Amino acid sequence: MLHRFRTSRWRRRVSWLLAAIFVLFVFPGLVGAVASAQYQAAATGGAVSQIDGLSWMQIRDSSGVPLANYTFATDHGGLLDPGSTILWAILGFEFIGYIAIVTTAIWLIGNALSFQWLNMFGTALTGVADRLTGTIATPMLLITAATIGAFCVAWFWLRGYHAKAVLQIVTMLGVAVLGPLFLAEPLGDVLSSDGLLAKGRDLGISVAAGLNGNNNPNPNNLVATMQQDLADNFARRPLQVWNFGHVVDEQPACRSAWTAGMATGDDERVRKGMQSCGDSAAHAKAENPTMGQVGTGLMLLICGGILLAFAVVLGIRVIKAALDAIYHGFMSIFGFAAGGFVYGPTQTFLVRNIVDGFVAAGRMTAYTIFLGIYVLFMGNLFAQAKGQTMAVIVIAGTAEIVAISQLKRLSSGLDRGNDWIANRFALAIQGARASGGGSGGTALGMGTLRAGGSASKHGLMTSLGTINTANTSPVVAWLAMKTNRPLDPFARLKKKADLNSMIVAASGMTRAAAEEGRAARDTYDAKALARANAFGGIHDHVGAAHARDGLGDMGASSTAIAGSLDRLSVDKDRRGRIESAIAIQKATAPPNTFEFAPRAKAEAALQAAINRPGSGMAKELAGQAHVAADNFRNNAPRPMPNARIDTQFVDHVMDAVKRGESLDTISPDLWSRADKATLQHIGTNLASDYFDAVHKWAYDMNDANQAAAMTKMEHARMFDGLTDGLVNDPWGGLRMRNLNVQPDDPFAQRSWRSVQ
């Protein structure tokens, strides 16, 4: 054993020694030899050195030098100078990465704005659009759509909506006149050289050129000019500072020497050019690479990555605007061929596609102006830098991060404006007006608008939905020590009970875990039994229903609930009937309304029990109604202790209840003047009265007791409706709100029972 240990240790030492020799002597020698061979080959062959992967992009600086020809002019070292060789290799890798990132970013911006990518498949798209038009726009389909539209006109006229009928006639005539013009060349306004997108791009470039002082701009040339400015600011000047410590372009002789050397891609010529032009500091920096240049390269890589991110975001926005316009051009074919003749969502669909086409041109203009202002800002920054190019690079990186955020806000604003314009046009065609004279109305077929006000209304619900999604995530469950839905009440208790029910019979479970699961099981059983004993005991149909509700309130799983009820001697048949009664109650429950949630659920439970008299689950349904009535009573907000209560008004309301009179006979003025504590006192009394009536009916289900329970619920429901919307709404914080229903929607005012 000792011999093996010594042999292994000796082998490790030899391996480390060989690796050190390779790194210190062999690797630098190989790199130096390869470098010498490459440059000797370049010198003898006379070929231009360039990066083939970037040369096809044809990105040039203001002096006409391709960025693919750029090189980092520094001493390569050799066999006798391995340190310089290693630095040259590191700087070379950083340089290649930086130039590749910057060149790609500049090319992406120019390619997106020049529409070169669109020319590749423009002909194919035009052919597809023409074939689709020939297939869809048939006389039979046109006649059918026009007939349906005429029926809508006749219907409006007979119903007395004469203005709406006239608007429909005008709209149909407009579609009939404009349809043939559009269908003759569906994508003409999108793909042609003088289409909406091209005009939007040209307008934006013209504005950007005006900002740069050019009063007679040529859009085609200005895209190349933008690329040259970006190449100077993000490639030429930063490379000179990185390589020589300052911008050599400030001296005309050195500028010419550097340009000539870079045009051939010969870094030796660049270094000799710096010596011949008299810039000794630049020549010394090139002959003596340092680790400081490596750090500068890392910083430039980060800034170049930010530039690439900005270019990708801008390029995607521009390309998406063009593709959206093409998509809506295709969709407009269906609108002009048929949908535009039919009142309602189909006309809105056509209007939305037409508006989106025009807005796409506006997007192109906005994005181009945005880029022009950005390039002008960067140019002024570099012009004012006076040698401090690296500082401006860092500032430019910060500005690019801000520009990405601003570009996102600009795009969101254009999206909302697009929806608003389309909605207003659709409302005008449909003869409707926005509620209140503002932008609150939504035309048929518009769906959910991306309005700022709508977003603010749903902000809380969106946040709650995000929290709920995170709560159900398995990643969060693992982070919460393997607890499913860790934000739920009794989550850890439920976890312990589930573990006990699933693993208690497994051989690998430890005694401590078994005791912990047993404690959770005992807790479930004790609380469920206490809840049942408060209402007749576990063998009573009402008591069993409350025991089941208590287990659900503790967050017990279905397995844990069945196990607890079984241990409490609730037979399997009764457990099944209880679960079926709960399912029936949930199916009868109301949708989201403006009602007090516990009261609405209590009414749903009572309605479910009344709808099934004499069934095998009558007692279990009555038990669920009793549970819901108890929850209604317990959750009805009570007035604060020592709160002042208008006993005269309370007596007036309760006397009307005792006489069986409807609460809407009481003057609305009296309801509005009542303070919150008084209304809460009345609500508590009504909830208690309802519970007493249901309790009596649950044990003696005759017609008289049923009528009494329904009467008490009618009083509570009437009170619910009369107090909704009051300043002193006693149940305002616990009402279920349907945020997807517009306030002026007449269907939102119906009672939930009318839509069952």
Side-chain angles (χ1 to χ4, degrees):
M1 182 66 68
L2 181 62
H3 174 71
R4 289 183 179 179
F5 174 75
R6 289 178 177 176
T7 302
S8 176
R9 183 172 61 180
W10 179 80
R11 287 179 178 176
R12 287 198 300 269
R13 289 179 177 177
V14 172
S15 300
W16 279 109
L17 179 61
L18 293 176
I21 294 174
F22 179 81
V23 170
L24 294 177
F25 299 102
V26 180
F27 177 71
L30 292 175
V31 175
V34 172
S36 300
Q38 287 178 340
Y39 275 89
Q40 288 176 1
T44 57
V48 176
S49 176
Q50 63 180 4
I51 305 174
D52 295 334
L54 302 177
S55 59
W56 62 273
M57 296 183 185
Q58 294 296 320
I59 304 300
R60 301 175 181 269
D61 59 20
S62 57
S63 298
V65 180
L67 266 60
N69 290 7
Y70 277 14
T71 184
F72 194 89
T74 189
D75 181 46
H76 302 165
L79 295 175
L80 300 179
D81 188 9
S84 296
T85 302
I86 294 174
L87 285 176
W88 168 75
I90 296 174
L91 290 170
F93 283 123
E94 289 183 341
F95 167 76
I96 292 298
Y98 178 70
I99 287 298
I101 290 174
V102 171
T103 304
T104 303
I106 296 173
W107 172 83
L108 184 59
I109 293 175
N111 189 70
L113 292 178
S114 63
F115 285 176
Q116 294 176 1
W117 57 272
L118 190 59
N119 296 332
M120 298 179 183
F121 48 88
T123 304
L125 287 174
T126 302
V128 172
D130 292 339
R131 290 189 178 183
L132 180 63
T133 302
T135 304
I136 298 298
T138 60
M140 181 64 67
L141 182 62
L142 177 64
I143 294 173
T144 302
T147 302
I148 297 174
F151 174 79
C152 294
V153 172
W155 177 262
F156 291 146
W157 192 270
L158 293 175
R159 294 297 300 272
Y161 302 129
H162 299 150
K164 186 174 290 189
V166 173
L167 281 174
Q168 176 66 6
I169 293 174
V170 173
T171 302
M172 292 175 63
L173 291 176
V175 173
V177 173
L178 298 178
L181 300 178
F182 175 83
L183 296 175
E185 194 174 1
L187 298 183
D189 286 336
V190 178
L191 299 178
S192 65
S193 58
D194 58 345
L196 291 174
L197 292 177
K199 289 181 179 179
R201 189 276 312 265
D202 295 346
L203 176 60
I205 290 178
S206 300
V207 174
L211 294 174
N212 284 275
N214 188 349
N215 296 325
N216 297 305
N218 185 341
N220 295 325
N221 295 335
L222 279 175
V223 173
T225 302
M226 284 185 179
Q227 290 181 313
Q228 292 175 2
D229 291 341
L230 290 172
D232 285 348
N233 294 334
F234 288 95
R236 184 180 179 110
R237 295 190 183 96
L239 176 59
Q240 292 177 359
V241 174
W242 183 11
N243 202 159
F244 308 117
H246 60 276
V247 179
V248 300
D249 283 350
E250 296 177 355
Q251 304 178 40
C254 293
R255 177 186 177 91
S256 300
W258 190 89
T259 301
M262 288 298 170
T264 61
D266 188 355
D267 65 337
E268 183 67 23
R269 182 175 178 180
V270 174
R271 284 183 285 162
K272 290 181 179 179
M274 294 300 100
Q275 186 178 17
S276 62
C277 74
D279 195 337
S280 57
H283 182 262
K285 194 80 171 179
E287 293 294 335
N288 300 283
T290 63
M291 288 299 296
Q293 291 178 311
V294 176
T296 303
L298 290 175
M299 186 171 64
L300 286 175
L301 276 174
I302 295 174
C303 295
I306 297 175
L307 172 64
L308 179 61
F310 171 75
V312 168
V313 171
L314 180 63
I316 289 176
R317 297 288 184 187
V318 172
I319 293 173
K320 183 178 182 299
L323 294 181
D324 284 347
I326 294 173
Y327 165 77
H328 291 295
F330 274 104
M331 293 298 101
S332 297
I333 295 175
F334 296 93
F336 279 111
F341 294 96
V342 182
Y343 174 85
T346 55
Q347 285 182 346
T348 302
F349 179 74
L350 174 60
V351 169
R352 194 165 191 170
N353 287 307
I354 295 175
V355 171
D356 285 348
F358 284 96
V359 172
R363 289 177 188 271
M364 197 65 64
T365 303
Y367 294 149
T368 310
I369 293 175
F370 185 92
L371 176 63
I373 295 175
Y374 174 77
V375 173
L376 174 63
F377 172 67
M378 290 293 103
N380 290 338
L381 273 181
F382 281 99
Q384 300 295 326
K386 299 186 183 300
Q388 300 180 4
T389 303
M390 295 306 300
V392 177
I393 282 288
V394 176
I395 295 174
T398 305
E400 287 161 0
I401 294 175
V402 176
I404 292 173
S405 175
Q406 292 173 337
L407 193 61
K408 183 178 179 181
R409 294 177 60 186
L410 174 62
S411 178
S412 299
L414 291 173
D415 288 339
R416 291 193 298 269
N418 184 17
D419 288 346
W420 185 87
I421 294 172
N423 184 53
R424 299 297 290 187
F425 272 108
L427 284 173
I429 290 176
Q430 294 172 10
R433 293 184 301 174
S435 62
S439 58
T442 303
L444 293 174
M446 280 300 298
T448 303
L449 298 182
R450 290 168 287 195
S454 177
S456 63
K457 292 178 182 177
H458 297 283
L460 176 60
M461 298 304 298
T462 302
S463 302
L464 292 177
T466 303
I467 294 174
N468 184 63
T469 302
N471 187 35
T472 58
S473 170
V475 177
V476 176
W478 279 101
L479 293 177
M481 297 180 293
K482 302 180 183 179
T483 303
N484 289 326
R485 301 181 65 91
L487 300 181
D488 287 5
F490 307 105
R492 293 189 61 80
L493 186 62
K494 176 184 177 184
K495 169 191 171 183
K496 296 175 182 178
D498 289 343
L499 285 175
N500 177 70
S501 61
M502 290 187 298
I503 311 176
V504 71
S507 60
M509 184 176 184
T510 63
R511 183 175 180 180
E515 291 295 335
E516 186 177 9
R518 190 175 297 110
R521 182 190 65 186
D522 293 342
T523 301
Y524 278 168
D525 294 351
K527 291 188 176 182
L529 184 60
R531 181 79 177 268
N533 289 336
F535 298 100
I538 193 65
H539 299 292
D540 183 79
H541 65 285
V542 175
H546 279 276
R548 169 60 179 84
D549 185 65
L551 290 169
D553 290 344
M554 286 187 286
S557 65
S558 57
T559 304
I561 291 174
S564 180
L565 292 177
D566 182 62
R567 289 189 296 273
L568 294 176
S569 301
V570 178
D571 61 84
K572 185 176 180 180
D573 292 339
R574 170 160 284 183
R575 294 201 304 269
R577 292 195 300 271
I578 291 175
E579 296 299 331
S580 299
I582 293 175
I584 293 173
Q585 176 191 346
K586 290 181 178 180
T588 316
N592 291 342
T593 65
F594 297 95
E595 299 173 336
F596 178 48
R599 188 212 61 78
K601 292 179 180 178
E603 185 176 3
L606 178 63
Q607 193 73 29
I610 292 174
N611 288 342
R612 290 167 177 81
S615 65
M617 294 184 297
K619 287 189 175 182
E620 282 69 23
L621 289 169
Q624 293 304 315
H626 194 282
V627 169
D630 184 54
N631 290 334
F632 176 30
R633 179 185 61 171
N634 293 333
N635 289 307
R638 288 168 170 75
M640 295 294 292
N642 301 323
R644 188 183 64 84
I645 297 175
D646 186 354
T647 57
Q648 183 177 0
F649 182 66
V650 172
D651 293 340
H652 181 56
V653 173
M654 299 310 296
D655 288 343
V657 170
K658 292 178 181 178
R659 292 192 300 269
E661 298 177 358
S662 177
L663 295 184
D664 58 2
T665 59
I666 301 175
S667 172
D669 185 54
L670 294 178
W671 288 109
S672 61
R673 285 188 299 174
D675 57 85
K676 191 169 187 176
T678 300
L679 294 176
Q680 288 179 339
H681 184 74
I682 296 173
T684 302
N685 289 340
L686 293 175
S688 298
D689 289 349
Y690 173 70
F691 173 79
D692 294 339
V694 171
H695 180 77
K696 184 177 180 180
W697 168 76
Y699 286 102
D700 187 5
M701 301 173 65
N702 56 47
D703 294 341
N705 292 338
Q706 175 180 310
M710 295 179 65
T711 301
K712 297 299 183 182
M713 174 50 68
E714 183 63 24
H715 290 147
R717 190 184 66 80
M718 185 68 68
F719 176 79
D720 192 350
L722 290 172
T723 57
D724 181 24
L726 296 181
V727 175
N728 295 323
D729 187 350
W731 293 340
L734 297 174
R735 295 184 183 277
M736 297 187 294
R737 302 289 180 176
N738 186 354
L739 299 179
N740 295 322
V741 178
Q742 295 292 335
D744 58 346
D745 185 357
F747 292 98
Q749 310 302 324
R750 298 186 299 176
S751 170
W752 65 268
R753 292 170 303 181
S754 64
V755 295
Q756 289 182 353

